[in-house]
Amino acid sequence: MKAILALVFMLVIPEVHAQSIGIPAISVDGGNGDGQTYTVTLEILALMTMLTLLPAILLMMTSFTRIIIVLSILRQALGTAQTPSNQIILGLALFLTLFVMSPVFDQVYQLAIQPYLDGSMSALDALRNATEPFKTFMLAQTRETDIRMFADIAGVAEIESPEKTPLTLLMPAFVTSELKTAFQIGFLIFIPFVVIDLVVASVLMSMGMMMLSPMIISLPFKLMLFVLVDGWALIMGTLASSFLLGA
């Protein structure tokens, strides 16, 4: 988390100047002609503005998209409605994203943030170095067909090498690939639970219990199956390893 905040700070704060330009924000009048004006520096104003882009960065350049979709599909397959709640699903996805992306954040800190804070690297060079670990991660998870599709749409004739892919093409291609992969994993998760629903529905139909909802009967069996196979560890481990193996 420290690396993420430091990266955002580096992106929006230019090189340190001897004096900062301030915008008058609040004026306090002492009543006897004495007063003081408090200002907001342009750097802080830019920082607060850029914080609104953090959700987009989280979705576009990390593993969050795949994880949150798979966990949502899992809840739908179990048929547990709002259990786990949205807050728990988001928390699991966020912390698993931090676990998966920790090597990338460490590289960004070592290659860009630390040299910039030490004063041995300019802001533009640090920004350029900071994007390289993210590009490497996204390229490892992105299908070539998706990159080619967006390159054709943008009118890019040829890309010399995958490393030369611009971020404007790589980010939408990465998100598209993540959506495809997430739905493929979700399909595999759904299969055993659909089988249980079909078996329960067939048994109820054969017994003439057509007024009884199969979902009520199949839910305990699906929960039992999920617990017996240690489903949470299996899902979380599979999601994490899918990124680590892809890298």
Side-chain angles (χ1 to χ4, degrees), residues 7-8 30 40 51 75 79-80 97-98 106 121 132-133 138 149 170 178 209-211 231 236:
L7 176 61
V8 176
V40 178
L51 285 177
R75 184 176 64 179
T80 54
T97 299
L98 293 177
D106 290 339
M121 184 178 294
E132 290 303 321
M138 290 189 289
M149 178 188 68
L170 182 57
E178 287 295 280
M209 299 181 179
M210 292 177 293
M211 301 301 295
M236 303 293 277

Side-chain angles (χ1 to χ4, degrees), residues 5-38:
L5 295 178
L7 176 61
V8 176
F9 183 83
M10 181 192 67
L11 292 176
V12 300
I13 302 298
E15 297 181 4
V16 179
H17 298 279
Q19 295 181 351
S20 298
I21 301 176
I23 300 176
I26 301 176
S27 297
V28 179
D29 189 359
N32 297 323
D34 299 330
Q36 187 173 2
T37 300
Y38 297 91

Side-chain angles (χ1 to χ4, degrees), residues 1-244:
M1 184 61 68
K2 178 180 71 174
I4 300 176
L5 295 178
L7 176 61
V8 176
F9 183 83
M10 181 192 67
L11 292 176
V12 300
I13 302 298
E15 297 181 4
V16 179
H17 298 279
Q19 295 181 351
S20 298
I21 301 176
I23 300 176
I26 301 176
S27 297
V28 179
D29 189 359
N32 297 323
D34 299 330
Q36 187 173 2
T37 300
Y38 297 91
T39 63
V40 178
T41 62
L42 294 177
E43 290 87 350
I44 296 178
L45 184 61
L47 174 62
M48 299 304 295
T49 303
M50 287 294 295
L51 285 177
T52 60
L53 299 178
L54 275 178
I57 295 174
L58 180 65
L59 292 175
M60 294 289 289
M61 301 179 67
T62 67
S63 58
F64 184 82
T65 301
R66 183 190 303 185
I67 295 172
I68 191 67
I69 291 176
V70 170
L71 292 179
S72 300
I73 291 177
L74 172 63
R75 184 176 64 179
Q76 185 71 23
L78 287 172
T80 54
Q82 296 300 317
T83 304
S85 63
N86 292 331
Q87 292 82 355
I88 295 177
I89 294 294
L90 287 172
L92 288 173
L94 179 59
F95 282 107
L96 189 56
T97 299
L98 293 177
F99 171 77
V100 172
M101 299 297 297
S102 58
V104 178
F105 294 149
D106 290 339
Q107 293 180 25
V108 172
Y109 186 81
Q110 295 295 329
L111 297 177
I113 297 176
Q114 188 62 49
Y116 174 76
L117 295 178
D118 293 340
S120 60
M121 184 178 294
S122 64
L124 292 179
D125 292 337
L127 178 59
R128 190 178 301 110
N129 289 347
T131 58
E132 290 303 321
F134 283 100
K135 288 185 66 175
T136 302
F137 170 80
M138 290 189 289
L139 283 171
Q141 309 298 330
T142 306
R143 295 173 174 83
E144 294 183 4
T145 55
D146 294 327
I147 296 178
R148 186 70 264 167
M149 178 188 68
F150 284 100
D152 293 338
I153 295 174
V156 178
E158 185 178 356
I159 300 175
E160 298 179 2
S161 63
E163 292 75 15
K164 298 295 184 180
T165 305
L167 282 175
T168 53
L169 295 179
L170 182 57
M171 285 193 292
F174 170 73
V175 174
T176 303
S177 293
E178 287 295 280
L179 291 173
K180 291 180 181 178
T181 305
F183 277 94
Q184 288 174 355
I185 298 175
F187 171 76
L188 297 177
I189 291 174
F190 242 105
I191 290 177
F193 299 112
V194 170
V195 171
I196 293 177
D197 287 334
L198 290 175
V199 171
V200 171
S202 300
V203 171
L204 291 179
M205 287 290 292
S206 63
M207 297 176 64
M209 299 181 179
M210 292 177 293
M211 301 301 295
L212 183 61
S213 174
M215 295 295 296
I216 299 177
I217 306 301
S218 63
L219 179 58
F221 293 99
K222 290 191 287 187
L223 293 177
M224 181 181 65
L225 173 65
F226 192 69
V227 171
L228 288 178
V229 300
D230 198 5
W232 284 115
L234 185 62
I235 293 296
M236 303 293 277
T238 302
L239 283 173
S241 62
S242 67
F243 290 101
L244 299 179

